[in-house]
Amino acid sequence: MHPLGVVGIVALFLSLDAIIVWAMLRACGEALKQLARGHPPVEPEPGAVRKEFQSFKIGMLNLGYSIHVAVDASYLHLYPSLTARWIGMPPMSIPWEQITLKRRSRIMGTHVVIGKQHLYGPNWCMEMAGADRK
């Protein structure tokens, strides 16, 4: 096969891959925006526990080390880092009453459901806010 033919085939597959990745990130970004629409950001209470660059999985999107978190008695506050903002994630504050605890795991973290959206996050978030009561 001629070298230009090989280059053309590689370019075609790279273009298709880029389109697929773009479409998946756009769909995940829309899911994050929809979740945030129902949970606008509010200022954390004084004394809230904060940690930066935490890992969350929302739906099928793994946001490893991309979320800054604040936890207080009323809310789980999620603030996107630069990489999470690139896919369209806005900040949000989710009331604990709207979070249903599903399962805890040392490996996967805590699995919760917010409306119809599945979220996995660090165990400390749920422990700090006393979400085990749910």
Side-chain angles (χ1 to χ4, degrees):
M1 181 177 272
H2 195 276
L4 286 178
V6 173
V7 170
I9 291 171
V10 170
L12 175 67
F13 281 109
L14 288 176
S15 298
L16 289 174
D17 288 345
I19 291 169
I20 291 168
V21 168
W22 174 81
M24 288 177 60
L25 289 176
R26 185 173 169 99
C28 291
E30 287 303 315
L32 291 168
K33 288 176 188 175
Q34 183 179 11
L35 182 62
R37 267 187 228 107
H39 305 95
V42 298
E43 196 64 31
E45 297 171 5
V49 177
R50 298 171 189 259
K51 291 190 180 185
E52 295 188 347
F53 300 105
Q54 299 296 295
S55 296
F56 281 81
K57 181 176 181 261
I58 300 174
M60 65 180 209
L61 180 64
N62 188 349
L63 297 166
Y65 304 106
S66 298
I67 308 295
H68 306 307
V69 181
V71 173
D72 59 33
S74 303
Y75 293 94
L76 171 64
H77 305 274
L78 304 176
Y79 303 98
S81 68
L82 180 62
T83 54
R85 286 192 306 261
W86 281 344
I87 62 167
M89 180 181 178
M92 61 187 85
S93 298
I94 305 166
W96 291 111
E97 303 85 51
Q98 295 183 15
I99 298 175
T100 303
L101 182 65
K102 288 301 217 182
R103 176 175 19 129
R104 297 184 66 182
S105 164
R106 284 186 287 182
I107 296 170
M108 291 294 292
T110 300
H111 174 201
V112 298
V113 176
I114 304 159
K116 294 180 181 178
Q117 191 70 288
H118 291 261
L119 179 127
Y120 293 82
N123 290 328
W124 73 265
C125 294
M126 307 308 164
E127 292 169 0
M128 297 299 262
D132 287 333
R133 297 184 309 243
K134 300 204 181 308

